Amino acid sequence: MYTLLIADDERLEREALKYIIRRGTAEIGNIIEAVNGREAIEIAEKEKPDIAFLDIKMPGINGVEAARRLKELLPACKIVFLTAFDTFDYAREALRLGAEDFLVKPVEDERVLELLTLLARRLREEDQEKKKLDRTLEALQGMIRAREIELSAQLATGFLDTRKLADFITLLGIESPRMEIAVLKVDLKSYPMRVDREKHSEVLLSRCEQLLRREAEKAGIHCIPGRLDSEILMLLVGGTEAETFFSPEIVEDLERSVQEQVSLRGTLTIEEGIRDFSDLERRLARAVAADGGRTGISSLNIKETLLQNIERGEESNLNQAVGMVFRWMDSLPEKDTALDKLDEILAVLRHDLSRRFPSLELPSCARVSLRETTDEEREAVLREMLRCLRDGVRRQAEIGHPAVRFAIDVMRQRFREELSVETIAGEAGHSPSHLSRLFRQELGTSILDFLTRLRIDEARRLLLSDVSMNIGQIAEAAGYRDPNYFSRVFRRETGVSPREYRLSGKSG
């Protein structure tokens, strides 16, 4: 039900309208009154009516001026003029001010009720359109955020999937993008206290990253952050016509802010004039090489990048992934430690693939321990392992009932939304019970359990990859509106709380 404001200096007219409305329609749940235009504006600002009946001839601020101000305060409010003159001039004035209609006094019952029914229908339609737009925008923001995180995980490796970068730019709605690379090199030794823990340095670098991000967002620039040891690498994307995103003055200000707010000395350099994606790839590779070969890539980034390249499946993608792994291993101080970490990463990778594709069969070539291989054969063994995983994923994608594949695609693309079995089944063209039976026959699990695994996997990834997000934000990004419920589900699925998982991941 909606709120109606009646503004008329004649009490009998207000009483007559209230009598007609209360007797004849259930669309109006609350009626508020004003005796002149000024009072109408004051009351509307407080009560926020959905519909306003305004008498044109009122003392002080008349109905025309009141309508103008009401539209400024409440653009969605439906304005109806009350007038004693049935003339074209008043009708024209009503339309010019964005009014829905006008009523000639004395008003007729049937005319008032028909008009309110019409206005209520318009309000419902507009509300539905707004909700639909809000859901679309929310889904779009979720897609942008997910793609940004994905690209960020790749960035520190020195190469990007330019197709996904192009999709990201399209999602941003930038038709003629410009790209620059910002590199902030900080001296962790300049911090007043000793930085002897990875977690402490991570916090300091995150604060520096936030300074860069805030400055970029202030200028309307989108940024994708990455890490190169004690450097922050940031891809800047925008459509501005300025010569550079960060002027020399802004660069100096940012370096000063790093010193004053984070207590670190830092040097910010900008790679300008990037012509295209090929040029971008060359500049990124140069940035990684300039870091002295220390990629600073985390175990999480290694696993995520391997997963992405397995799913893309091209031989060139696998070769890139193998090269990245060995650059990362060379950056670690001890060879035995590097091999142990790589075996752990591959074990987690196999586990994630098995959860994502429940009926995936992993051949023996995908289960080899690289610690048991020689230096000469290790690269070839890793490449063959990735091929086995890729082929297994391809076979998995080729089997299954079309409705089950459709349901999986819906959940993977929209797990951040409030999905139900009924919604998924309806879009797949099956009844909930039939689709649930097909799903369990194909994958040995229920639709909701599969959806939960997708959401928890996303939460695990965000907990380790984005320290700027708190638990509530991660819960929402993973499709949970209630952080407490999210924490209970997370503990049930992983055995630990989200906070414990984040701390164990960072310390490990």
Side-chain angles (χ1 to χ4, degrees):
M1 293 190 291
Y2 299 103
T3 296
L4 168 68
L5 167 64
I6 301 175
D8 196 314
D9 59 329
E10 296 182 24
R11 184 180 63 82
L12 291 178
E13 291 291 346
R14 299 197 306 272
E15 293 296 329
L17 281 168
K18 287 193 296 182
Y19 178 76
I20 294 169
I21 293 164
R22 286 172 176 164
R23 188 189 61 177
T25 180
E27 300 285 6
I28 304 300
N30 184 29
I31 299 177
I32 51 181
E33 300 177 58
V35 299
N36 56 52
R38 185 178 303 280
E39 188 178 26
I41 295 165
E42 292 173 355
I43 292 175
E45 192 169 7
K46 180 181 178 181
E47 300 291 340
K48 296 179 172 47
D50 303 293
I51 303 170
F53 283 2
L54 304 177
D55 185 22
I56 288 182
K57 296 291 185 178
M58 289 188 291
I61 296 177
N62 63 27
V64 173
E65 180 60 25
R68 185 178 292 107
R69 297 194 193 181
L70 274 180
K71 276 296 184 182
E72 292 174 358
L73 284 173
L74 305 168
C77 182
K78 305 301 181 187
I79 305 291
V80 174
F81 281 131
L82 302 173
T83 177
F85 305 98
D86 185 6
T87 67
F88 177 74
D89 287 342
Y90 280 110
R92 184 173 58 187
E93 182 71 359
L95 295 173
R96 189 181 68 80
L97 289 173
E100 303 296 319
D101 210 330
F102 70 102
L103 293 169
V104 178
K105 298 192 288 187
V107 295
E108 297 177 359
D109 297 21
E110 186 177 343
R111 170 81 172 123
V112 172
L113 298 177
E114 284 179 354
L115 182 55
L116 285 174
T117 300
L118 173 64
L119 296 180
R121 185 170 68 246
R122 288 179 185 172
L123 285 167
R124 282 193 292 271
E125 291 172 352
E126 289 173 6
D127 185 55
Q128 291 171 358
E129 284 298 316
K130 183 179 181 301
K131 288 180 179 177
K132 182 178 179 181
L133 179 60
D134 288 344
R135 287 195 298 269
T136 301
L137 290 175
E138 183 181 356
L140 178 61
Q141 290 300 318
M143 292 169 64
I144 290 173
R145 182 63 176 157
R147 187 53 53 85
E148 179 185 313
I149 292 171
E150 187 177 10
L151 292 170
S152 179
Q154 295 180 6
L155 191 57
T157 68
F159 67 89
L160 282 173
D161 184 337
T162 53
R163 290 177 299 178
K164 291 190 175 181
L165 177 57
D167 290 343
F168 176 72
I169 292 172
T170 300
L171 288 173
L172 295 176
I174 301 175
E175 294 183 0
S176 301
R178 284 188 49 221
M179 296 176 289
E180 294 181 3
I181 299 172
V183 181
L184 176 64
K185 184 173 181 61
V186 297
D187 181 8
L188 291 172
K189 294 179 180 178
S190 67
Y191 192 67
M193 300 171 61
R194 182 178 177 184
V195 181
D196 55 0
R197 293 177 60 191
E198 180 182 350
K199 184 178 179 181
H200 192 188
S201 63
E202 173 73 17
V203 170
L204 292 174
L205 291 172
S206 293
R207 291 176 62 190
C208 293
E209 181 184 304
Q210 289 303 312
L211 286 173
L212 290 177
R213 184 185 286 274
R214 281 199 298 269
E215 186 63 38
E217 291 174 349
K218 190 164 61 177
I221 302 164
H222 297 272
C223 49
I224 302 170
R227 297 285 173 81
L228 297 174
D229 202 14
S230 61
E231 297 184 6
I232 295 169
L233 180 68
M234 189 167 283
L235 175 61
L236 307 174
V237 181
T240 178
E241 297 301 323
E243 293 183 3
T244 179
F245 291 146
F246 289 167
S247 66
E249 292 77 17
I250 292 177
V251 169
E252 290 181 9
D253 288 343
L254 283 168
E255 290 175 344
R256 190 179 307 111
S257 296
V258 169
Q259 175 72 56
E260 294 174 353
Q261 299 182 36
V262 193
S263 301
L264 288 174
R265 288 196 298 271
T267 304
L268 177 62
T269 57
I270 307 294
E271 286 265 359
E272 304 174 21
I274 297 175
R275 297 185 299 275
D276 50 35
F277 289 144
S278 297
D279 189 26
L280 172 64
E281 290 176 330
R282 288 192 294 271
R283 304 275 192 111
L284 287 175
R286 188 167 65 194
V288 172
D291 191 47
R294 303 183 306 275
T295 62
I297 309 169
S298 70
S299 300
L300 176 73
N301 284 346
I302 289 288
K303 191 266 290 184
E304 289 297 328
T305 306
L306 287 174
L307 184 60
Q308 292 159 11
N309 282 280
I310 286 169
E311 291 185 328
R312 288 202 295 271
E314 300 296 333
E315 195 69 21
S316 60
N317 298 136
L318 298 183
N319 291 335
Q320 279 184 321
V322 170
M324 177 202 64
V325 167
F326 281 93
R327 289 203 309 274
W328 169 73
M329 289 179 64
D330 290 340
S331 73
L332 297 178
E334 297 183 12
K335 180 179 176 181
D336 288 344
T337 301
L339 287 171
D340 287 340
K341 284 193 173 184
L342 182 56
D343 274 339
E344 290 175 8
I345 291 169
L346 293 171
V348 173
L349 175 66
R350 289 190 289 267
H351 175 71
D352 283 0
L353 284 171
S354 296
R355 287 174 66 89
R356 185 171 296 191
F357 303 101
S359 56
L360 176 66
E361 296 181 5
L362 297 178
S364 57
C365 65
R367 300 180 181 274
V368 176
S369 169
L370 292 182
R371 210 184 193 309
E372 300 173 359
T373 59
T374 65
D375 292 346
E376 292 75 20
E377 63 186 10
R378 190 165 295 124
E379 183 173 338
V381 169
L382 176 59
R383 185 175 283 104
E384 182 60 26
M385 180 186 299
L386 296 181
R387 286 197 188 103
C388 288
L389 292 171
R390 175 200 63 188
D391 293 345
V393 169
R394 282 180 172 174
R395 286 193 297 272
Q396 177 75 8
E398 292 171 356
I399 64 174
H401 193 284
V404 175
R405 291 200 302 271
F406 178 84
I408 291 172
D409 288 342
V410 168
M411 286 187 282
R412 285 180 180 159
Q413 294 170 18
R414 295 165 48 195
F415 64 86
R416 295 176 182 83
E417 302 177 20
E418 295 184 6
L419 288 177
S420 65
V421 175
E422 289 74 15
T423 299
I424 297 168
E427 295 189 16
H430 290 264
S431 69
S433 59
H434 185 220
L435 181 63
S436 296
R437 187 165 57 253
L438 288 173
F439 203 93
R440 189 172 289 279
Q441 287 173 354
E442 291 282 348
L443 302 179
T445 188
S446 72
I447 295 173
L448 290 181
D449 283 347
F450 187 92
L451 180 59
T452 297
R453 286 199 295 270
L454 286 177
R455 288 171 167 167
I456 296 303
D457 284 346
E458 174 71 358
R460 290 167 57 198
R461 183 167 68 88
L462 292 175
L463 283 165
L464 297 184
S465 67
D466 195 338
V467 295
S468 68
M469 297 179 73
N470 60 39
I471 302 302
Q473 291 169 326
I474 288 173
E476 186 171 357
Y480 293 95
R481 300 295 177 264
D482 183 349
N484 293 326
Y485 177 67
F486 160 69
S487 295
R488 292 197 299 272
V489 174
F490 191 93
R491 182 181 287 278
R492 185 188 71 205
E493 293 291 315
T494 66
V496 295
S497 71
R499 177 178 171 77
E500 290 168 342
Y501 184 85
R502 169 173 271 174
L503 291 175
S504 65
K506 288 301 179 185
S507 62

